[in-house]
Amino acid sequence: MQWKNSTTRFGLIAVSLHWLVAMTVFSLFALGLWMTGLDYYDSWYKQGPWWHKSIGITLFLVVIVRLCWRLLTPLPAALASHKSWEAKVAHVTHLLLYLLLFTIMVSGYLISTADNRAIEVFGWFDVPATITALPNQEDIAGWVHLILASTLIGLVVLHAAAALKHHFIDRDSTLKRIFGR
Ligand code: HEM
C-alpha cells in the first residue's frame, strides 16, 4: 500500500489518520459523558478530565496534520458509480465533520480556561488560557461543547450508514477504499 493517495485509492497516511481520528472521537465522547456523571469523591473525578483534555488537545494537532496532508495529497476521485448529488452530499458532510471537530475543540478549550488555568497535556506541555472573561463562559461553552459533540456523533452515524449502504446495497468499493483497498 502506498503512503500517498492516488487518483483511485486512499494511501496509508490518509487511512491511518481517518481511523485514528474516528476511534479517538468515539472514545472522547464516551469518556466525556462518563466523567461528567462522576461524583467528587470518585478517584476518576480529576483523572477523567485530565485524560479528556490531554487527548482532546492531541487530537486537535492530529486533525491539523490531517488537513495539511489532505492539502498535500488530493483525495481520490469519486467513484464513477456515485451520482453527482451523492458526491456533493459526501463533500459537504466531510466539510461539516471537520468544522464540528474544530468548534468542539475550541468550545472545550473555553470551558477549561474559563477559570484562567492553562491546560496540561499529558504533563508534556501546557496550553495557556487566553480568553477567560466572557460572561458565563464555562456554562455556555459547556453547553455548546455537548450539543456540537452530540451533533458530530449523529452526523458520523449517517456518514457510516452511507458507507455501509454503498458496501452492502450498491456493492461498490467506497468502504473498501477507506481501508486502503
Ligand atoms: C468520528 C468519526 C469519523 C470522522 C470524523 C470521519 C471523517 C471523514 C472525512 C473527513 C472523510 C473525507 C476524507 C478525508 O478528509 O480524509 C471521510 C471519508 C470516509 N469515511 Fe469517515 N469519518 C468517521 C468515521 C467513519 C466510519 C465509522 C466509517 C464507516 C463505517 C467511515 C467511512 C468513510 C468512508 C467510506 C470514507 C470515504 C468516502 C469517499 O470516498 O467519498 N467513516 N471520513
Side-chain angles (χ1 to χ4, degrees):
M1 189 176 167
Q2 71 236 357
W3 293 95
K4 286 182 155 191
N5 298 339
S6 71
T7 49
T8 53
R9 284 164 181 252
F10 283 98
L12 184 62
I13 305 277
V15 169
S16 308
L17 287 170
H18 176 269
W19 292 111
L20 176 65
V21 171
M23 283 186 307
T24 310
V25 165
F26 291 130
S27 311
L28 280 176
F29 188 67
L31 176 58
L33 288 182
W34 176 71
M35 73 187 196
T36 46
L38 295 176
D39 73 71
Y40 184 77
Y41 299 101
D42 194 292
S43 62
W44 272 86
Y45 184 79
K46 286 205 165 131
Q47 239 175 315
W50 186 85
W51 282 100
H52 189 82
K53 288 187 258 182
S54 293
I55 298 170
I57 298 280
T58 310
L59 180 65
F60 176 77
L61 300 175
V62 170
V63 175
I64 300 273
V65 170
R66 182 173 174 189
L67 276 177
C68 293
W69 185 252
R70 200 182 157 165
L71 294 176
L72 283 173
T73 64
L75 294 182
L79 292 176
S81 58
H82 288 182
K83 297 173 191 83
S84 88
W85 69 264
E86 281 181 320
K88 277 184 200 136
V89 171
H91 183 66
V92 172
T93 304
H94 298 161
L95 286 179
L96 274 176
L97 288 171
Y98 281 119
L99 192 68
L100 281 167
L101 282 171
F102 278 112
T103 43
I104 290 165
M105 290 170 193
V106 170
S107 55
Y109 170 81
L110 291 175
I111 306 170
S112 304
T113 54
D115 59 0
N116 207 10
R117 271 188 297 167
I119 302 176
E120 185 186 308
V121 182
F122 295 118
W124 298 334
F125 61 93
D126 285 356
V127 179
T130 48
I131 303 165
T132 59
L134 301 175
N136 289 332
Q137 180 170 332
E138 190 170 349
D139 291 345
I140 295 172
W143 182 80
V144 169
H145 194 63
L146 175 64
I147 298 292
L148 294 182
S150 308
T151 307
L152 174 66
I153 295 298
L155 194 60
V156 166
V157 168
L158 294 177
H159 169 73
L164 294 174
K165 179 248 180 204
H166 278 289
H167 189 73
F168 290 108
I169 298 177
D170 304 338
R171 296 189 177 274
D172 65 25
S173 58
T174 306
L175 186 59
K176 285 187 192 149
R177 287 207 308 179
I178 201 66
F179 286 100
R181 293 169 53 198

